[in-house]
Amino acid sequence: MVLTDNRLTYEGAVAALSGYPDIEVLPWESHGTAQVVIVFAEDLSNTMLGRIEQFTSARPDVPVVLVAESVSEPCLVRAIGVGVVSVLLHRQASFARIREAVVAAHKGQSDVPPAFLGQLIRHLRRLGQHDSERGSGLTPRELSVLGLLSDGLDTAQIARQLNYSERTIKSIIHAIVNNLGVSNRTHAVAYVIRAGLL
């Protein structure tokens, strides 16, 4: 599903992305079955973040790919918290590149530019020592899965490495997200790193 405030951007994105055989762009009325959401924003605003959060609160399992001109550090942190797993800057984002990000997000992978990773790391450092009481209840198996997620592996790769089915790995990730009270797998990894558990 494509989410944007700009009608011209919406129509261009739908036309371009519909040309890929592995992507079906759904209208808003069918958003309940969307498997990935692409958000186009010039400058990511609190209003757009609110719209993303409204969607992901009902569908927390659906990853969000953000394409923006610029993203401030506070908005980036909030975006990750509400389900954004990949961030592409307009100057680097061809539709072929956006398609790659969508396919990767569907596989459970994230894509954040190095400059934004630096912002996230600085933010986590500023938070200082965080109460890890909730995180201490994670099992060794859950910590193993989170460690492999932090290394950039997708669910299929993790399943092969740990000798579990992909469905089991998805269930473990779902349980971790619920137990930690976070919004997605990226946020879960950030949480346990911040808590000193990885």
Side-chain angles (χ1 to χ4, degrees), residues 4-192:
T4 181
D5 288 330
N6 185 306
R7 186 71 192 171
L8 192 59
T9 300
Y10 176 82
E11 290 178 359
V14 169
L17 293 170
S18 295
Y20 293 101
D22 53 352
I23 293 181
E24 178 186 0
V25 182
L26 300 176
W28 175 254
E29 304 79 55
S30 303
H31 69 274
T33 58
Q35 296 177 335
V36 177
V37 174
I38 310 170
V39 176
F40 289 89
E42 290 297 320
D43 295 310
L44 187 60
S45 65
N46 284 324
T47 302
M48 181 58 82
L49 282 166
R51 290 180 67 189
I52 297 170
E53 190 169 19
Q54 184 178 16
F55 179 85
T56 57
S57 62
R59 299 282 312 281
D61 58 318
V62 177
V64 178
V65 174
L66 172 65
V67 183
E69 185 67 38
S70 63
V71 183
S72 68
E73 185 173 321
C75 284
L76 176 64
V77 171
R78 184 176 170 201
I80 297 296
V82 299
V84 172
V85 298
S86 294
V87 180
L88 302 175
L89 296 175
H90 278 178
R91 61 183 174 272
Q92 303 163 335
S94 65
F95 281 110
R97 180 71 187 83
I98 292 168
R99 177 229 164 243
E100 288 174 6
V102 168
V103 171
H106 185 254
K107 292 178 179 177
Q109 300 169 352
S110 297
D111 184 1
V112 179
F116 286 156
L117 280 177
Q119 288 182 21
L120 288 172
I121 290 167
R122 285 191 299 276
H123 175 77
L124 292 174
R125 284 185 182 148
R126 280 196 305 271
L127 290 176
Q129 187 62 33
H130 186 74
D131 178 16
S132 62
E133 190 173 303
R134 283 193 297 169
S136 63
L138 291 171
T139 67
R141 181 172 76 166
E142 290 172 333
L143 286 171
S144 295
V145 170
L146 284 171
L148 293 170
L149 280 173
S150 72
D151 290 338
L153 275 65
D154 62 28
T155 50
Q157 292 168 321
I158 293 170
R160 284 194 298 274
Q161 186 148 337
L162 296 180
N163 202 23
Y164 290 117
S165 70
E166 191 171 351
R167 183 174 182 167
T168 298
I169 297 301
K170 287 180 179 178
S171 295
I172 292 170
I173 293 169
H174 182 72
I176 292 168
V177 168
N178 285 340
N179 291 340
L180 294 179
V182 294
S183 55
N184 57 51
R185 61 183 67 191
T186 304
H187 195 186
V189 170
Y191 179 94
V192 294

